Amino acid sequence: MRTKPHAPARPAAGERPAFGARLTAPLLLGSLLNPLNTTMISTALVAIGHEFGVGAADTAWLVSVLYLASAVSQPVLGKLADGIGPRRVFLGGLVVVAASGLVGALAPGFLWLLLSRLLLGIGTSAAYPAAMAVLRDESRRLGSPTPRTVLGRLSFAGLGSAAIGPTLGGLLVATAGWRGIFAVNIPVALIAFGCALRWIPADGPRAGREKGRAASTLDPLGILLFSSALTCLVVFLLDLAHPQWWLLAPVAVLSAVLTWWQLRHPKPFIDLRMLGRNHALARTYLRHGLSYLVVYCVMYGFTQWLEEARGLSSLHTGLVMLPMSLAALACSLLGARTKGIRAPLSIASVLLVAGSALLFFTSGGTPLAVLLLAGACFGIPQGLMGTGNQAAVQSFAPADAIGSAAGLQRTAQYIGAIAASGLIGLAYGQRADDAGLHLMGAVGAVLALALVALTLTDRALRART
């Protein structure tokens, strides 16, 4: 006699449903703010430069300062979420986001915009690690793992918001001016704050008991050394046309001291010993950073060229980038359903070569259809790489260190984006032109070819296919 399968247990009266929409909605809303703001500003850089009389090399700082803040803040706030409670960290981050939007919307000068982006990088970095900690606590409460569908939605929120950023940014600049890029964060942060305050459960007593211990595991010296070395490197990269070679000396010294300290500290900011043992994970970080270096050259460099060299408006530039956004969205969903890792990453790498080659031969008279095709050649890899490298991290990282491993993946992505900002500044100088676009296309093609070789020769990826 066949028996009917048991229906899922319904929550008791007054008890919240497991991983329900109310719990996940604020997490998804907060988690999209960082990737959205990393790409949304791309269509506003030219307008900001004209407003304050600065060139592409200066506006590149608006990109880099957010990545610099995010690269340091993500792992720090992740540790704080574990120590003092994820709800507190999540809500605190949203307050900082709202403040950054207000500063940017009312900014009287360019330095105020830099401050706004710095605050934005810190505030938005709280959402993703805090969201993962909230889901972990919910899993412990229920005694069951977080459903893959919930994790998939969280991943899609990041990938999707980054993909639609240029198009949304173009619409905001066209309708509300470049200040709308900053102001839009205020209502989104306030809505997410209200939802989180009402629907995310209060942090348990465990968080309160561990406040003192959390401070001792943050490794403040490691954070200071890492941020100082990265800041010096960023300053060097953003003026490659007139390189300040002396900056490489403090980068080398700070990196050496950081390495020495991380190997001594029992709870290091960056676990170098784990990376030294886990070559597959280290190669994943390298692959992820190189991938986003090429992608972000297009995300910011191509959009500036479309406006300054091609003469398109911010709205039309956003529409030209729409195929890239749609391709990234579609392929992020496709990549999440793919079981293998090596094949999607290989396809993405080859398409980056093709897209970079198209940019090398692009000029002011290139047909619009070719420009749309070039955007799609970068959108498809963006979706495949995001999910593919995320799967690689989950596969290769130690089970008890998946949170810090995911944070380091984001850090690798931010470093790639910072390097892209430096390349854009070198290629364009004060104004985007065909020669600068061709330089970025050539460098992108070389890096993409290296990425193809790195992917195809990685034996660890073959074992996971």
Side-chain angles (χ1 to χ4, degrees):
M1 180 177 179
R2 298 179 62 181
T3 59
K4 296 182 179 180
H6 292 289
R10 294 184 178 181
E15 183 181 0
R16 67 179 185 271
F19 300 103
R22 290 187 175 185
L23 176 69
T24 57
L27 303 181
L28 296 175
L29 191 58
S31 296
L32 63 79
L33 284 169
N34 185 274
L36 180 65
N37 278 282
T38 61
T39 60
M40 185 169 57
I41 199 174
S42 62
T43 52
L45 295 176
V46 172
I48 291 172
H50 292 165
E51 175 84 11
F52 296 110
V54 297
D58 294 314
T59 56
W61 269 104
L62 294 173
V63 179
S64 295
V65 73
L66 186 141
Y67 286 125
L68 181 62
S70 300
V72 178
S73 299
Q74 286 264 357
V76 172
L77 293 173
K79 288 187 176 183
L80 277 178
D82 289 332
I84 68 173
R87 185 173 184 262
R88 294 185 180 95
V89 173
F90 191 86
L91 292 172
L94 291 172
V95 171
V96 177
V97 171
S100 72
L102 187 62
V103 171
L106 302 177
F110 186 71
L111 290 179
W112 284 95
L113 288 185
L114 290 177
L115 174 61
S116 172
R117 295 285 287 180
L118 176 66
L119 293 174
L120 190 61
I122 296 172
T124 57
S125 293
Y128 181 74
M132 295 299 291
V134 168
L135 295 176
R136 175 204 60 201
D137 290 347
E138 183 74 354
S139 294
R140 289 175 177 173
R141 181 182 74 88
L142 298 169
S144 61
T146 303
R148 293 189 63 179
T149 54
V150 174
L151 294 175
R153 287 196 294 268
L154 193 65
S155 176
F156 180 74
L159 290 170
S161 58
I164 67 172
T167 301
L168 178 59
L171 292 173
L172 285 171
V173 173
T175 56
W178 62 262
R179 293 181 187 272
I181 296 288
F182 296 86
V184 72
N185 289 289
I186 300 175
V188 176
L190 292 178
I191 293 172
F193 186 93
C195 294
L197 196 63
R198 183 174 178 84
W199 294 332
I200 294 180
D203 297 317
R206 173 192 57 81
R209 291 197 301 267
E210 294 184 359
K211 283 183 182 179
R213 199 178 79 179
S216 66
T217 60
L218 281 182
D219 186 15
L221 180 57
I223 295 169
L224 177 63
L225 290 169
F226 176 77
S227 57
S228 299
L230 194 57
T231 300
C232 292
L233 181 61
V234 169
V235 174
F236 173 78
L237 289 174
L238 289 184
D239 195 14
L240 292 176
H242 308 90
Q244 302 179 57
W245 297 108
W246 64 270
L247 283 169
L248 296 182
V251 170
V253 172
L254 289 167
S255 299
V257 176
L258 174 65
T259 301
W260 172 80
W261 177 248
Q262 297 301 275
L263 294 175
R264 286 175 54 90
H265 199 280
K267 298 288 185 179
F269 176 64
I270 300 175
D271 194 345
L272 296 179
R273 293 187 185 277
M274 182 270 289
L275 289 177
R277 296 189 300 267
N278 196 332
H279 295 165
L281 185 60
R283 288 194 298 270
T284 299
Y285 293 149
L286 175 61
R287 187 170 55 245
H288 197 65
L290 282 177
S291 301
Y292 275 90
L293 193 164
V294 179
V295 167
Y296 280 115
C297 275
V298 178
M299 191 75 72
Y300 298 109
F302 190 37
T303 53
Q304 290 187 61
W305 178 86
L306 287 171
E307 292 189 49
E308 290 194 325
R310 185 79 177 206
L312 299 182
S313 66
S314 297
L315 176 60
H316 290 155
T317 296
L319 293 176
V320 170
M321 299 296 288
L322 186 58
M324 178 178 177
S325 302
L326 295 177
L329 284 170
C331 289
S332 64
L333 291 176
L334 179 62
R337 294 175 178 272
T338 303
K339 294 183 179 180
I341 299 176
R342 184 167 174 259
L345 292 178
S346 300
I347 294 172
S349 302
V350 172
L351 285 174
L352 286 179
V353 175
S356 298
L358 280 175
L359 293 188
F360 183 77
F361 293 103
T362 295
S363 65
T366 300
L368 179 61
V370 177
L371 301 181
L372 296 174
L373 176 62
C377 283
F378 288 95
I380 295 172
Q382 187 181 356
L384 295 178
M385 289 182 308
T387 53
N389 286 323
Q390 182 183 38
V393 169
Q394 291 175 340
S395 180
F396 299 136
D400 59 348
I402 189 65
S404 59
L408 285 177
Q409 180 192 4
R410 289 286 184 93
T411 298
Q413 178 176 329
Y414 299 140
I415 292 175
I418 290 168
S421 299
L423 179 58
I424 293 170
L426 173 65
Y428 286 159
Q430 294 300 311
R431 184 175 177 82
D433 56 17
D434 289 354
L437 184 67
H438 295 163
L439 175 60
M440 284 195 295
V443 173
V446 173
L447 293 176
L449 285 172
L451 195 59
V452 171
L454 181 63
T455 303
L456 293 179
T457 58
D458 193 335
R459 295 182 179 180
L461 291 179
R462 297 181 191 176
R464 293 297 193 276
T465 300

